[in-house]
Amino acid sequence: MAAMQQISDIGALREQVRGWRIAGERIVFVPTMGNLHRGHLRLVEKARDHGQRIVVSIFVNPMQFNDKDDFNAYPDTLAQDADKLTEVGVDVLFTPSVAVIYPDGYQHNSQVVVPGLSDILCGEHRPGHFIGVTTVVAKLFNIVLPDVALFGEKDFQQLMIIRRMVGELCFPIDIVGVATERESDGLAMSSRNGYLSAVERQQAPLLYRELEQAKSRLLLGSERIEVVEAEAMEVLQKGGFRPEYFTVRSRKDLSKAEGNAQDLVILAAAWLGKARLIDNICLNSG
Ligand code: PAF
């Protein structure tokens, strides 16, 4: 296996990708913000099923942080991340600087907006967040020009927004969602888990347990969705969380679930200490 190249320059990356494309190879892309955990590495492993060449980006995107302190505190673990990616067999690690991605500052950059979907749930609690995500992902897509891109299902709303952006803006890219990787106690793997204290780490699996519990109750069919949602919020509060939402939504457009509708997902976001955790569980499929 050839050594992984690390490239920070757009021209050099395009040159490399053009060579692969001329050779008839499919390019698979995994965008990340670094601080890589097993969930990210799973995305890379899955990437192999979709093409011959794998590009991973690490770019901590200032435009998607609605809180400057959160951006400044985001861990920089590039050396360890590069080692992990070398081990799983990535072809190129793309590590552009903020100046490369936003030469005139992100405040002056053109924006990609997916209306509606970006304004609810996490978008409501983190104003501007998804505009930052869709803008940087569109830029990265135009730089890397992949055939396929992979995203984790833990960020379910992000995945839906990116799918919609790709469809509506006609990017010729297949978007693949990859199932959430979990710790043995059910906690979804996340870069944010590193912000939890030892005590909070013990409390954290309650979020997924409540999602599972809500799913079991709703599948019995005798309880009202609003009652289950409200009780889950209460359990999380009592368990030390500051929940933002716990809600049953359509897997097609994230609209509120009605009665016995199909194709539903339960989504939750809650703060535990300094960590904002999100998770979701499929309730039923269409
Ligand atoms: O999910 C993430 O890590 C980020 O939102 C992404 C998709 C890499 C864009 O910065």
Side-chain angles (χ1 to χ4, degrees):
M1 188 183 295
M4 181 178 79
Q5 294 180 66
Q6 188 178 330
I7 300 178
S8 303
D9 171 72
I10 295 178
L13 181 83
R14 285 206 166 123
E15 196 58 32
Q16 176 59 86
V17 170
R18 193 172 318 131
W20 290 335
R21 197 170 293 291
I22 288 167
E25 295 178 311
R26 272 168 73 79
I27 291 98
V28 192
F29 180 42
V30 180
T32 82
M33 298 207 298
N35 194 16
L36 303 181
H37 50 70
R38 213 171 65 225
H40 293 111
L41 302 181
R42 186 84 190 116
L43 292 179
V44 176
E45 280 161 18
K46 284 272 176 196
R48 277 209 210 93
D49 300 341
H50 297 275
Q52 291 73 39
R53 296 293 181 176
I54 303 176
V55 178
V56 173
S57 63
I58 293 184
F59 177 66
V60 184
N61 174 30
M63 193 173 174
Q64 71 187 74
F65 285 80
N66 54 314
D67 174 353
K68 241 194 166 85
D69 292 340
D70 189 22
F71 172 67
N72 291 330
Y74 202 86
D76 175 355
T77 54
L78 183 58
Q80 295 96 306
D81 292 346
D83 287 348
K84 290 176 187 169
L85 294 173
T86 303
E87 238 168 76
V88 289
V90 166
D91 293 283
V92 165
L93 169 57
F94 181 49
T95 50
S97 63
V98 172
V100 162
I101 296 294
Y102 301 114
D104 300 318
Y106 68 83
Q107 294 88 344
H108 304 288
N109 202 97
S110 304
Q111 298 185 341
V112 178
V113 184
V114 176
L117 268 188
S118 299
D119 306 321
I120 56 174
L121 304 176
C122 287
E124 191 182 329
H125 291 274
R126 301 181 70 189
H129 166 67
F130 285 120
I131 295 176
V133 171
T134 41
T135 300
V136 83
V137 170
K139 289 185 81 133
L140 291 168
F141 281 175
N142 282 329
I143 293 167
V144 178
L145 299 175
D147 299 287
V148 182
L150 288 87
F151 294 84
E153 287 179 354
K154 180 178 74 69
D155 298 274
F156 189 84
Q157 186 176 6
Q158 169 175 281
L159 175 60
M160 284 193 74
I161 289 171
I162 288 166
R163 280 194 204 284
R164 185 166 293 179
M165 174 188 83
V166 161
E168 291 180 351
L169 297 183
C170 308
F171 281 95
I173 301 173
D174 290 336
I175 302 299
V176 175
V178 177
T180 304
E181 282 288 304
R182 299 187 179 279
E183 303 285 357
S184 55
D185 57 14
L187 177 65
M189 299 238 169
S190 164
S191 305
R192 308 271 169 186
N193 295 351
Y195 297 162
L196 297 169
S197 69
V199 172
E200 289 158 0
R201 176 63 190 81
Q202 299 297 312
Q203 298 168 304
L206 179 65
L207 185 62
Y208 186 56
R209 278 207 305 276
E210 267 314 295
L211 287 166
E212 284 183 309
Q213 172 78 10
K215 174 175 176 165
S216 312
R217 286 173 65 180
L218 290 169
L219 286 181
L220 289 175
S222 53
E223 296 197 73
R224 283 184 38 232
I225 287 175
E226 308 80 67
V227 172
V228 173
E229 289 173 341
E231 286 181 11
M233 291 285 279
E234 215 177 297
V235 171
L236 288 173
Q237 236 151 23
K238 287 192 177 133
F241 284 82
R242 282 170 287 130
E244 286 183 347
Y245 62 80
F246 191 105
T247 182
V248 184
R249 299 285 168 130
S250 155
R251 287 163 58 85
K252 290 201 185 86
D253 58 10
L254 293 183
S255 60
K256 285 216 168 106
E258 313 257 328
N260 55 1
Q262 291 298 298
D263 219 4
L264 300 177
V265 57
I266 316 176
L267 303 126
W271 286 88
L272 188 56
K274 286 193 290 225
R276 183 177 182 276
L277 305 179
I278 58 172
D279 204 348
N280 64 83
I281 194 167
C282 173
L283 175 58
N284 54 32
S285 34

